[in-house]
Amino acid sequence: MPETYWTVRWPDGSEEKLYSPSSVIAELFEPGLRYSVPDFLQRARIAMERASNRVERKYGFACSAAMDQLDRIEAKAATFTEQTDAEIACLQISQ
């Protein structure tokens, strides 16, 4: 369950390095692809919930860092909901 980081480019052009306690990110995102904001959010929610569940199975408690990251993703994505053609690019995934 290696910690995984992935870098995204938001619709405003800013880039951000995101965290996951699990490599599950690579199952839902692919570097070089762009995702609509709703699709990105759905994938991020699934990924962070799976990552947190994996931590819970291994250590007996959910991963608050995964859920905190999801909160930050949702807050940032909310600023683009009015832009119907906005996309978020997955630039890189690393462990």
Side-chain angles (χ1 to χ4, degrees):
M1 187 169 42
E3 290 184 328
T4 302
Y5 295 89
W6 84 106
T7 304
V8 300
R9 181 179 302 119
W10 295 100
D12 64 3
S14 65
E15 293 182 9
E16 184 174 0
K17 188 174 188 178
L18 306 174
Y19 167 80
S20 171
S22 166
S23 61
V24 70
I25 292 304
E27 297 172 12
L28 292 153
F29 293 97
E30 184 176 335
L33 294 185
R34 302 174 67 84
Y35 303 88
S36 69
V37 173
D39 185 31
F40 183 88
L41 280 173
Q42 180 180 10
R43 289 169 183 267
R45 288 176 182 131
I46 291 168
M48 292 294 97
E49 287 173 12
R50 285 183 187 171
S52 183
N53 289 341
R54 287 180 181 184
V55 169
E56 185 171 19
R57 282 193 304 274
K58 185 169 184 175
Y59 298 107
F61 53 88
C63 181
S64 61
M67 303 322 296
D68 289 346
Q69 179 66 84
L70 179 58
D71 288 345
R72 289 190 299 277
I73 289 169
E74 289 178 334
K76 180 77 173 189
T79 65
F80 305 110
T81 56
E82 298 296 318
Q83 300 175 26
T84 58
D85 60 344
E87 293 182 319
I88 302 166
C90 179
L91 303 177
Q92 179 181 10
I93 298 175
S94 61
Q95 296 177 347

Coordinates of all heavy atoms in Angstrom, one line a residue:
M1 N 0.8 -1.2 0.0 CA 0.0 0.0 0.0 C 0.9 1.2 0.0 O 0.9 2.0 0.9 CB -0.9 0.0 1.2 CG -1.9 1.0 1.3 SD -3.2 0.8 2.6 CE -2.2 0.3 4.0
P2 N 1.6 1.4 -1.1 CA 2.6 2.6 -1.1 C 1.8 3.9 -1.2 O 0.9 4.0 -1.9 CB 3.4 2.3 -2.3 CG 2.6 1.5 -3.2 CD 1.7 0.6 -2.3
E3 N 2.4 4.9 -0.4 CA 1.9 6.2 -0.6 C 2.0 6.6 -2.1 O 3.1 6.3 -2.7 CB 2.6 7.2 0.3 CG 2.4 7.1 1.7 CD 3.1 8.1 2.5 OE1 4.2 8.5 2.1 OE2 2.6 8.5 3.6
T4 N 1.1 7.3 -2.6 CA 1.1 7.7 -4.0 C 0.8 9.2 -4.1 O -0.1 9.7 -3.4 CB 0.1 6.9 -4.8 OG1 0.4 5.5 -4.6 CG2 0.1 7.3 -6.3
Y5 N 1.5 9.9 -5.0 CA 1.2 11.3 -5.2 C 0.8 11.4 -6.7 O 1.3 10.7 -7.5 CB 2.5 12.1 -4.9 CG 2.8 12.1 -3.5 CD1 3.7 11.1 -3.0 CD2 2.3 13.1 -2.6 CE1 4.0 11.1 -1.6 CE2 2.6 13.0 -1.3 CZ 3.5 12.0 -0.8 OH 3.8 12.0 0.6
W6 N -0.1 12.3 -6.9 CA -0.4 12.6 -8.3 C -0.6 14.1 -8.5 O -1.1 14.8 -7.6 CB -1.6 11.7 -8.8 CG -3.0 12.1 -8.6 CD1 -3.8 12.6 -9.5 CD2 -3.8 12.0 -7.4 NE1 -5.1 12.8 -9.0 CE2 -5.1 12.4 -7.7 CE3 -3.5 11.6 -6.1 CZ2 -6.1 12.5 -6.7 CZ3 -4.5 11.6 -5.1 CH2 -5.7 12.0 -5.5
T7 N -0.1 14.5 -9.7 CA -0.1 15.9 -10.0 C -1.2 16.2 -11.0 O -1.3 15.5 -12.0 CB 1.2 16.4 -10.5 OG1 2.3 16.1 -9.5 CG2 1.3 17.9 -10.7
V8 N -2.0 17.2 -10.7 CA -3.1 17.6 -11.6 C -2.9 19.0 -12.0 O -2.3 19.8 -11.3 CB -4.5 17.4 -11.0 CG1 -4.7 15.9 -10.6 CG2 -4.7 18.3 -9.8
R9 N -3.5 19.3 -13.2 CA -3.6 20.7 -13.6 C -5.1 21.1 -13.6 O -5.9 20.5 -14.3 CB -3.1 21.0 -15.0 CG -3.2 22.5 -15.4 CD -2.6 22.7 -16.8 NE -1.2 22.4 -16.9 CZ -0.7 21.5 -17.7 NH1 -1.5 20.8 -18.6 NH2 0.6 21.2 -17.7
W10 N -5.4 22.1 -12.8 CA -6.8 22.5 -12.6 C -7.2 23.4 -13.9 O -6.3 23.9 -14.6 CB -7.0 23.3 -11.4 CG -6.7 22.5 -10.1 CD1 -5.6 22.4 -9.4 CD2 -7.6 21.6 -9.5 NE1 -5.7 21.5 -8.3 CE2 -7.0 21.0 -8.4 CE3 -8.9 21.2 -9.8 CZ2 -7.6 20.1 -7.6 CZ3 -9.6 20.3 -9.0 CH2 -8.9 19.7 -7.9
P11 N -8.5 23.6 -14.1 CA -8.9 24.4 -15.2 C -8.4 25.8 -15.3 O -8.3 26.4 -16.3 CB -10.5 24.4 -15.1 CG -10.8 23.1 -14.4 CD -9.6 23.0 -13.4
D12 N -7.9 26.3 -14.1 CA -7.4 27.7 -14.1 C -5.9 27.7 -14.4 O -5.2 28.7 -14.4 CB -7.6 28.4 -12.7 CG -6.9 27.7 -11.6 OD1 -6.2 26.7 -11.8 OD2 -7.1 28.1 -10.4
G13 N -5.3 26.5 -14.8 CA -3.9 26.4 -15.1 C -3.0 26.1 -14.0 O -1.8 25.8 -14.2
S14 N -3.5 26.2 -12.7 CA -2.6 25.9 -11.6 C -2.4 24.4 -11.5 O -3.3 23.6 -11.9 CB -3.2 26.5 -10.3 OG -4.5 25.8 -10.0
E15 N -1.3 24.0 -11.0 CA -0.9 22.6 -10.8 C -0.8 22.3 -9.3 O -0.4 23.2 -8.5 CB 0.4 22.3 -11.5 CG 0.3 22.4 -13.0 CD 1.6 22.0 -13.7 OE1 2.5 21.5 -13.1 OE2 1.6 22.2 -14.9
E16 N -1.2 21.1 -8.9 CA -1.2 20.8 -7.5 C -0.8 19.3 -7.4 O -1.3 18.4 -8.2 CB -2.6 21.0 -6.9 CG -2.7 20.7 -5.4 CD -4.0 21.1 -4.8 OE1 -4.9 21.5 -5.5 OE2 -4.1 20.9 -3.6
K17 N 0.0 19.0 -6.4 CA 0.4 17.7 -6.1 C -0.5 17.1 -5.0 O -0.6 17.7 -3.9 CB 1.9 17.6 -5.6 CG 2.4 16.3 -5.4 CD 3.9 16.4 -5.1 CE 4.6 15.0 -5.1 NZ 6.0 15.1 -4.8
L18 N -1.2 16.1 -5.3 CA -2.2 15.5 -4.4 C -1.7 14.2 -3.8 O -0.8 13.6 -4.3 CB -3.5 15.2 -5.2 CG -4.1 16.4 -5.9 CD1 -5.3 15.9 -6.8 CD2 -4.5 17.5 -5.0
Y19 N -2.2 13.8 -2.7 CA -1.7 12.6 -1.9 C -2.8 11.6 -1.8 O -4.0 11.8 -1.6 CB -1.4 13.1 -0.5 CG -1.1 12.0 0.5 CD1 0.1 11.3 0.5 CD2 -2.1 11.6 1.4 CE1 0.3 10.3 1.4 CE2 -1.9 10.6 2.3 CZ -0.7 9.9 2.3 OH -0.5 8.8 3.1
S20 N -2.3 10.3 -1.8 CA -3.1 9.2 -1.5 C -2.3 8.2 -0.7 O -1.1 8.0 -1.0 CB -3.6 8.5 -2.7 OG -4.3 7.2 -2.4
P21 N -2.9 7.6 0.4 CA -2.1 6.6 1.1 C -2.0 5.3 0.4 O -1.3 4.4 0.9 CB -2.9 6.4 2.4 CG -4.3 6.7 2.0 CD -4.2 7.8 0.9
S22 N -2.6 5.2 -0.8 CA -2.6 3.9 -1.5 C -2.4 4.2 -3.0 O -2.7 5.2 -3.5 CB -3.9 3.2 -1.3 OG -4.2 2.2 -2.2
S23 N -1.9 3.1 -3.7 CA -1.7 3.2 -5.1 C -3.0 3.1 -5.9 O -3.0 3.1 -7.1 CB -0.7 2.2 -5.6 OG -1.2 0.9 -5.3
V24 N -4.1 3.1 -5.2 CA -5.4 2.9 -5.9 C -5.6 4.1 -6.9 O -6.4 3.9 -7.9 CB -6.6 2.9 -4.9 CG1 -6.7 4.2 -4.2 CG2 -7.9 2.5 -5.5
I25 N -5.0 5.2 -6.8 CA -5.1 6.3 -7.7 C -4.8 5.8 -9.1 O -5.5 6.2 -10.1 CB -4.1 7.4 -7.3 CG1 -4.5 8.1 -6.0 CG2 -3.9 8.5 -8.4 CD1 -5.9 8.6 -6.0
A26 N -3.8 5.0 -9.3 CA -3.4 4.5 -10.6 C -4.5 3.6 -11.3 O -4.4 3.4 -12.5 CB -2.1 3.8 -10.6
E27 N -5.4 3.2 -10.5 CA -6.5 2.4 -11.0 C -7.6 3.3 -11.6 O -8.4 2.8 -12.4 CB -7.1 1.5 -9.9 CG -6.2 0.5 -9.4 CD -6.7 -0.3 -8.2 OE1 -8.0 -0.2 -7.9 OE2 -5.9 -1.0 -7.5
L28 N -7.7 4.5 -11.2 CA -8.7 5.4 -11.6 C -8.3 6.6 -12.4 O -9.2 7.3 -13.0 CB -9.5 5.9 -10.3 CG -10.2 4.8 -9.6 CD1 -10.4 5.0 -8.2 CD2 -11.6 4.5 -10.3
F29 N -7.0 6.9 -12.4 CA -6.5 8.1 -13.2 C -5.3 7.6 -14.0 O -4.6 6.7 -13.6 CB -6.1 9.2 -12.2 CG -7.2 9.8 -11.5 CD1 -7.5 9.4 -10.2 CD2 -8.0 10.8 -12.0 CE1 -8.5 10.0 -9.5 CE2 -9.0 11.4 -11.3 CZ -9.3 11.0 -10.0
E30 N -5.2 8.3 -15.1 CA -4.1 8.0 -16.0 C -3.4 9.2 -16.4 O -4.0 10.2 -16.9 CB -4.6 7.2 -17.3 CG -3.5 6.8 -18.2 CD -4.0 6.0 -19.4 OE1 -5.1 5.4 -19.3 OE2 -3.3 6.0 -20.4
P31 N -2.0 9.3 -16.2 CA -1.3 10.5 -16.7 C -1.5 10.8 -18.1 O -1.6 9.9 -19.0 CB 0.2 10.1 -16.4 CG 0.1 9.1 -15.3 CD -1.2 8.3 -15.6
G32 N -1.7 12.0 -18.4 CA -1.9 12.5 -19.8 C -3.4 12.6 -20.2 O -3.7 13.2 -21.2
L33 N -4.3 12.1 -19.3 CA -5.7 12.2 -19.6 C -6.3 13.4 -18.9 O -5.8 13.8 -17.9 CB -6.4 10.9 -19.2 CG -6.1 9.7 -20.0 CD1 -7.0 8.5 -19.6 CD2 -6.2 9.9 -21.5
R34 N -7.4 13.9 -19.5 CA -8.1 15.0 -18.9 C -9.5 14.5 -18.6 O -10.1 13.7 -19.3 CB -8.2 16.2 -19.9 CG -6.9 16.7 -20.4 CD -7.0 17.7 -21.5 NE -7.6 18.9 -21.0 CZ -6.9 19.9 -20.4 NH1 -5.6 19.8 -20.2 NH2 -7.6 21.0 -20.1
Y35 N -10.0 15.0 -17.5 CA -11.3 14.6 -17.0 C -12.2 15.8 -16.7 O -11.8 16.8 -16.2 CB -11.1 13.8 -15.6 CG -10.2 12.7 -15.7 CD1 -8.8 12.8 -15.5 CD2 -10.7 11.4 -16.0 CE1 -8.0 11.7 -15.7 CE2 -9.8 10.3 -16.2 CZ -8.5 10.5 -16.0 OH -7.6 9.4 -16.1
S36 N -13.5 15.6 -17.1 CA -14.5 16.7 -16.7 C -14.5 16.8 -15.2 O -14.1 15.8 -14.5 CB -15.8 16.3 -17.3 OG -16.4 15.2 -16.5
V37 N -14.9 17.9 -14.7 CA -14.9 18.1 -13.3 C -15.8 17.1 -12.6 O -15.3 16.5 -11.6 CB -15.3 19.6 -12.9 CG1 -15.5 19.7 -11.4 CG2 -14.3 20.6 -13.5
P38 N -17.0 16.8 -13.1 CA -17.8 15.8 -12.4 C -17.2 14.4 -12.4 O -17.2 13.7 -11.4 CB -19.1 15.8 -13.2 CG -19.2 17.2 -13.8 CD -17.8 17.5 -14.1
D39 N -16.6 14.1 -13.5 CA -15.9 12.7 -13.7 C -14.7 12.7 -12.7 O -14.5 11.7 -12.0 CB -15.5 12.5 -15.1 CG -14.9 11.1 -15.3 OD1 -15.3 10.2 -14.6 OD2 -14.0 11.0 -16.2
F40 N -13.9 13.7 -12.7 CA -12.8 13.8 -11.8 C -13.2 13.6 -10.3 O -12.6 12.9 -9.6 CB -12.0 15.1 -12.0 CG -10.7 15.2 -11.2 CD1 -9.5 14.7 -11.6 CD2 -10.8 15.7 -9.9 CE1 -8.4 14.7 -10.9 CE2 -9.6 15.8 -9.1 CZ -8.4 15.3 -9.6
L41 N -14.2 14.4 -10.0 CA -14.7 14.3 -8.6 C -15.2 12.9 -8.2 O -14.9 12.3 -7.2 CB -15.8 15.3 -8.3 CG -15.4 16.7 -8.1 CD1 -16.6 17.6 -8.0 CD2 -14.6 16.8 -6.8
Q42 N -15.9 12.2 -9.1 CA -16.4 10.9 -8.9 C -15.2 9.9 -8.7 O -15.2 9.1 -7.8 CB -17.3 10.4 -10.0 CG -17.9 9.0 -9.8 CD -18.8 8.6 -10.9 OE1 -18.9 9.2 -12.0 NE2 -19.4 7.4 -10.7
R43 N -14.3 10.0 -9.6 CA -13.1 9.2 -9.5 C -12.3 9.4 -8.2 O -11.8 8.5 -7.6 CB -12.2 9.4 -10.7 CG -12.8 8.8 -12.0 CD -11.9 9.3 -13.2 NE -12.5 8.9 -14.4 CZ -12.2 7.7 -15.1 NH1 -11.2 7.0 -14.6 NH2 -12.7 7.4 -16.2
A44 N -12.1 10.7 -7.9 CA -11.4 11.1 -6.6 C -12.1 10.5 -5.4 O -11.5 10.0 -4.5 CB -11.2 12.6 -6.6
R45 N -13.4 10.6 -5.4 CA -14.2 10.1 -4.2 C -14.0 8.6 -4.1 O -13.8 8.1 -3.0 CB -15.7 10.5 -4.4 CG -16.0 11.9 -4.2 CD -17.4 12.3 -4.4 NE -17.6 13.7 -4.2 CZ -18.3 14.5 -5.1 NH1 -18.8 13.9 -6.2 NH2 -18.4 15.7 -4.9
I46 N -14.1 7.9 -5.2 CA -13.9 6.5 -5.2 C -12.5 6.1 -4.7 O -12.3 5.3 -3.8 CB -14.2 5.8 -6.6 CG1 -15.7 6.0 -6.9 CG2 -13.7 4.4 -6.6 CD1 -16.0 5.7 -8.3
A47 N -11.5 6.8 -5.3 CA -10.1 6.5 -4.9 C -9.8 6.8 -3.5 O -9.2 5.9 -2.8 CB -9.2 7.4 -5.8
M48 N -10.3 7.9 -3.0 CA -10.0 8.2 -1.6 C -10.7 7.3 -0.6 O -10.2 6.9 0.5 CB -10.3 9.7 -1.3 CG -9.4 10.7 -2.0 SD -7.7 10.7 -1.5 CE -7.0 9.6 -2.7
E49 N -11.9 6.9 -0.9 CA -12.7 6.0 -0.1 C -12.0 4.6 -0.1 O -11.8 4.0 1.0 CB -14.1 5.9 -0.5 CG -14.9 7.1 -0.2 CD -16.3 7.1 -0.7 OE1 -16.8 6.1 -1.2 OE2 -17.0 8.2 -0.7
R50 N -11.6 4.2 -1.3 CA -10.9 2.9 -1.3 C -9.5 2.9 -0.6 O -9.2 2.0 0.1 CB -10.6 2.5 -2.8 CG -11.8 2.0 -3.5 CD -11.5 1.6 -4.9 NE -12.7 1.2 -5.7 CZ -12.7 1.0 -7.0 NH1 -11.5 1.0 -7.7 NH2 -13.8 0.7 -7.6
A51 N -8.8 4.0 -0.8 CA -7.5 4.2 -0.1 C -7.7 4.1 1.5 O -7.0 3.5 2.2 CB -6.9 5.5 -0.5
S52 N -8.7 4.9 1.9 CA -9.0 4.9 3.4 C -9.4 3.5 3.9 O -9.0 3.1 4.9 CB -10.1 6.0 3.6 OG -10.3 6.0 5.0
N53 N -10.2 2.8 3.1 CA -10.6 1.5 3.5 C -9.5 0.5 3.5 O -9.4 -0.3 4.4 CB -11.7 1.0 2.5 CG -13.0 1.7 2.7 OD1 -13.3 2.3 3.7 ND2 -13.9 1.6 1.6
R54 N -8.5 0.7 2.6 CA -7.3 -0.2 2.6 C -6.5 0.0 3.9 O -6.0 -0.9 4.5 CB -6.5 0.0 1.4 CG -7.1 -0.5 0.1 CD -6.2 -0.3 -1.1 NE -6.8 -0.8 -2.3 CZ -6.2 -0.8 -3.5 NH1 -5.0 -0.3 -3.6 NH2 -6.8 -1.3 -4.5
V55 N -6.4 1.3 4.3 CA -5.7 1.6 5.5 C -6.4 1.0 6.7 O -5.8 0.4 7.6 CB -5.5 3.2 5.7 CG1 -5.1 3.5 7.1 CG2 -4.6 3.7 4.6
E56 N -7.7 1.2 6.7 CA -8.5 0.6 7.8 C -8.4 -0.9 7.9 O -8.2 -1.4 9.0 CB -10.0 1.0 7.6 CG -10.8 0.5 8.8 CD -12.3 1.1 8.8 OE1 -12.7 1.5 7.7 OE2 -12.9 1.1 9.8
R57 N -8.4 -1.6 6.8 CA -8.2 -3.1 6.8 C -6.8 -3.4 7.4 O -6.7 -4.4 8.1 CB -8.4 -3.7 5.4 CG -9.8 -3.8 5.0 CD -10.0 -4.7 3.8 NE -9.3 -4.2 2.6 CZ -9.7 -3.4 1.7 NH1 -10.9 -2.8 1.9 NH2 -9.0 -3.0 0.7
K58 N -5.8 -2.6 7.0 CA -4.5 -3.0 7.4 C -4.2 -2.5 8.9 O -3.5 -3.3 9.6 CB -3.4 -2.3 6.5 CG -2.0 -2.7 6.8 CD -1.1 -2.3 5.7 CE 0.3 -2.8 6.0 NZ 1.3 -2.6 5.0
Y59 N -4.6 -1.3 9.3 CA -4.2 -0.8 10.6 C -5.4 -0.7 11.6 O -5.1 -0.3 12.7 CB -3.6 0.6 10.4 CG -2.4 0.6 9.5 CD1 -2.4 1.0 8.2 CD2 -1.2 0.1 10.1 CE1 -1.2 1.0 7.5 CE2 0.0 0.0 9.3 CZ 0.0 0.5 8.0 OH 1.1 0.5 7.2
G60 N -6.6 -0.9 11.1 CA -7.7 -0.9 12.1 C -8.4 0.5 12.2 O -9.3 0.6 13.0
F61 N -8.0 1.5 11.4 CA -8.6 2.8 11.5 C -8.6 3.4 10.1 O -7.6 3.2 9.3 CB -7.9 3.7 12.5 CG -6.4 3.8 12.3 CD1 -5.9 4.8 11.5 CD2 -5.6 3.0 13.0 CE1 -4.5 4.9 11.3 CE2 -4.2 3.1 12.9 CZ -3.7 4.0 12.0
A62 N -9.6 4.2 9.8 CA -9.6 4.9 8.5 C -8.5 5.9 8.4 O -8.0 6.4 9.4 CB -11.0 5.5 8.3
C63 N -8.2 6.3 7.2 CA -7.2 7.3 6.9 C -7.7 8.7 6.8 O -8.4 9.0 5.8 CB -6.4 6.9 5.6 SG -5.1 8.1 5.3
S64 N -7.5 9.5 7.9 CA -8.0 10.8 7.9 C -7.3 11.7 6.8 O -7.9 12.6 6.2 CB -7.9 11.5 9.2 OG -6.5 11.5 9.6
A65 N -6.1 11.4 6.5 CA -5.3 12.2 5.5 C -6.0 12.0 4.1 O -6.1 13.0 3.3 CB -3.9 11.7 5.4
A66 N -6.5 10.8 3.8 CA -7.2 10.6 2.5 C -8.5 11.4 2.5 O -8.8 12.1 1.5 CB -7.5 9.1 2.3
M67 N -9.2 11.4 3.6 CA -10.5 12.2 3.6 C -10.2 13.7 3.6 O -11.0 14.4 3.0 CB -11.3 11.7 4.7 CG -11.6 10.2 4.8 SD -11.9 9.4 3.1 CE -13.4 10.2 2.6
D68 N -9.1 14.1 4.2 CA -8.8 15.5 4.2 C -8.4 16.0 2.8 O -8.8 17.0 2.3 CB -7.6 15.8 5.1 CG -8.0 15.8 6.6 OD1 -9.2 15.7 6.9 OD2 -7.0 15.7 7.4
Q69 N -7.7 15.1 2.1 CA -7.3 15.4 0.7 C -8.5 15.5 -0.2 O -8.7 16.4 -1.0 CB -6.4 14.3 0.1 CG -5.9 14.6 -1.3 CD -5.1 15.8 -1.5 OE1 -3.9 15.8 -1.3 NE2 -5.7 16.9 -1.9
L70 N -9.5 14.6 0.1 CA -10.7 14.6 -0.7 C -11.5 15.9 -0.4 O -12.0 16.5 -1.4 CB -11.6 13.4 -0.4 CG -13.0 13.4 -1.1 CD1 -12.8 13.4 -2.6 CD2 -13.8 12.2 -0.6
D71 N -11.5 16.4 0.8 CA -12.2 17.7 1.1 C -11.5 18.8 0.4 O -12.2 19.7 -0.2 CB -12.1 17.9 2.6 CG -13.0 17.1 3.5 OD1 -13.9 16.4 2.9 OD2 -12.8 17.0 4.7
R72 N -10.2 18.8 0.3 CA -9.5 19.9 -0.5 C -9.8 19.8 -2.0 O -10.0 20.8 -2.6 CB -8.0 19.8 -0.2 CG -7.7 20.3 1.3 CD -6.2 20.5 1.5 NE -5.4 19.2 1.3 CZ -5.2 18.3 2.2 NH1 -5.8 18.4 3.4 NH2 -4.5 17.2 1.9
I73 N -9.8 18.6 -2.5 CA -10.2 18.4 -3.9 C -11.6 18.9 -4.2 O -11.8 19.6 -5.2 CB -10.0 16.9 -4.3 CG1 -8.6 16.4 -4.3 CG2 -10.7 16.6 -5.6 CD1 -8.4 14.9 -4.4
E74 N -12.5 18.5 -3.4 CA -13.9 19.0 -3.6 C -14.0 20.5 -3.5 O -14.7 21.1 -4.3 CB -14.8 18.3 -2.6 CG -15.0 16.8 -2.9 CD -15.9 16.1 -1.9 OE1 -16.0 16.5 -0.7 OE2 -16.5 15.0 -2.3
A75 N -13.3 21.1 -2.5 CA -13.4 22.6 -2.4 C -12.8 23.2 -3.6 O -13.4 24.2 -4.2 CB -12.6 23.0 -1.1
K76 N -11.7 22.8 -4.1 CA -11.1 23.4 -5.3 C -11.9 23.1 -6.5 O -12.2 24.1 -7.3 CB -9.7 22.8 -5.6 CG -8.9 23.3 -6.8 CD -8.4 24.6 -6.5 CE -7.5 25.0 -7.7 NZ -6.7 26.3 -7.5
A77 N -12.5 21.9 -6.7 CA -13.3 21.6 -7.9 C -14.6 22.4 -7.9 O -15.1 22.8 -8.9 CB -13.6 20.1 -7.9
A78 N -15.1 22.8 -6.7 CA -16.3 23.5 -6.6 C -16.2 24.9 -7.2 O -17.2 25.5 -7.7 CB -16.7 23.7 -5.1
T79 N -15.0 25.4 -7.3 CA -14.8 26.7 -7.9 C -14.9 26.7 -9.5 O -14.9 27.7 -10.1 CB -13.4 27.3 -7.6 OG1 -12.3 26.5 -8.1 CG2 -13.2 27.4 -6.1
F80 N -15.0 25.5 -10.0 CA -15.1 25.3 -11.5 C -16.5 24.8 -11.9 O -16.6 24.5 -13.1 CB -14.0 24.4 -12.0 CG -12.6 24.9 -11.6 CD1 -11.9 24.1 -10.7 CD2 -12.1 26.0 -12.1 CE1 -10.6 24.6 -10.3 CE2 -10.8 26.5 -11.7 CZ -10.1 25.7 -10.8
T81 N -17.4 24.6 -11.0 CA -18.7 24.0 -11.4 C -19.5 24.8 -12.4 O -20.3 24.2 -13.1 CB -19.5 23.7 -10.2 OG1 -19.7 24.9 -9.4 CG2 -18.9 22.7 -9.3
E82 N -19.3 26.1 -12.5 CA -20.0 26.9 -13.4 C -19.4 26.8 -14.8 O -20.1 27.2 -15.8 CB -20.0 28.4 -13.0 CG -20.7 28.6 -11.6 CD -22.2 28.3 -11.7 OE1 -22.8 28.7 -12.6 OE2 -22.6 27.7 -10.7
Q83 N -18.3 26.3 -15.0 CA -17.6 26.1 -16.3 C -17.9 24.7 -16.8 O -17.3 23.8 -16.5 CB -16.1 26.3 -16.1 CG -15.7 27.6 -15.6 CD -14.2 27.7 -15.4 OE1 -13.4 27.0 -16.0 NE2 -13.7 28.5 -14.4
T84 N -18.9 24.6 -17.7 CA -19.4 23.3 -18.1 C -18.4 22.6 -18.9 O -18.4 21.3 -19.0 CB -20.7 23.5 -19.0 OG1 -20.4 24.4 -20.1 CG2 -21.8 24.0 -18.1
D85 N -17.4 23.3 -19.5 CA -16.4 22.6 -20.3 C -15.0 22.4 -19.6 O -14.0 22.0 -20.2 CB -16.2 23.3 -21.7 CG -15.7 24.7 -21.5 OD1 -15.8 25.3 -20.4 OD2 -15.2 25.3 -22.5
A86 N -15.0 22.7 -18.3 CA -13.8 22.7 -17.6 C -13.3 21.2 -17.4 O -14.1 20.3 -17.2 CB -14.0 23.3 -16.2
E87 N -12.0 21.1 -17.5 CA -11.4 19.8 -17.4 C -10.2 19.8 -16.5 O -9.5 20.9 -16.4 CB -10.9 19.2 -18.8 CG -12.0 18.9 -19.7 CD -11.5 18.4 -21.0 OE1 -10.5 18.9 -21.6 OE2 -12.1 17.4 -21.5
I88 N -9.9 18.7 -15.8 CA -8.8 18.6 -14.9 C -7.9 17.5 -15.5 O -8.3 16.4 -15.8 CB -9.2 18.2 -13.5 CG1 -10.2 19.2 -12.9 CG2 -8.0 18.0 -12.6 CD1 -11.0 18.8 -11.7
A89 N -6.6 17.9 -15.7 CA -5.6 17.0 -16.3 C -4.8 16.3 -15.3 O -4.4 16.9 -14.3 CB -4.7 17.8 -17.2
C90 N -4.7 15.0 -15.4 CA -3.8 14.2 -14.6 C -2.4 14.2 -15.3 O -2.3 13.8 -16.4 CB -4.2 12.7 -14.5 SG -3.1 11.7 -13.5
L91 N -1.4 14.8 -14.6 CA -0.1 15.0 -15.2 C 0.9 13.9 -14.9 O 1.6 13.5 -15.8 CB 0.5 16.4 -14.8 CG -0.4 17.6 -15.1 CD1 0.3 18.9 -14.6 CD2 -0.6 17.7 -16.6
Q92 N 0.8 13.5 -13.7 CA 1.8 12.5 -13.2 C 1.3 11.7 -12.0 O 0.6 12.3 -11.2 CB 3.1 13.2 -12.9 CG 4.2 12.3 -12.4 CD 5.5 13.1 -12.0 OE1 5.4 14.3 -12.0 NE2 6.5 12.4 -11.7
I93 N 1.7 10.5 -11.9 CA 1.4 9.6 -10.8 C 2.8 9.0 -10.3 O 3.5 8.5 -11.2 CB 0.4 8.5 -11.1 CG1 -0.9 9.1 -11.5 CG2 0.2 7.6 -9.8 CD1 -2.0 8.1 -11.9
S94 N 3.1 9.2 -9.1 CA 4.4 8.6 -8.6 C 4.2 8.1 -7.2 O 3.4 8.5 -6.4 CB 5.5 9.7 -8.6 OG 5.1 10.8 -7.8
Q95 N 5.1 7.1 -6.9 CA 5.2 6.5 -5.6 C 6.5 6.8 -4.9 O 7.5 7.0 -5.5 CB 4.9 5.0 -5.7 CG 3.6 4.7 -6.2 CD 3.4 3.2 -6.4 OE1 4.3 2.4 -6.4 NE2 2.1 2.8 -6.7

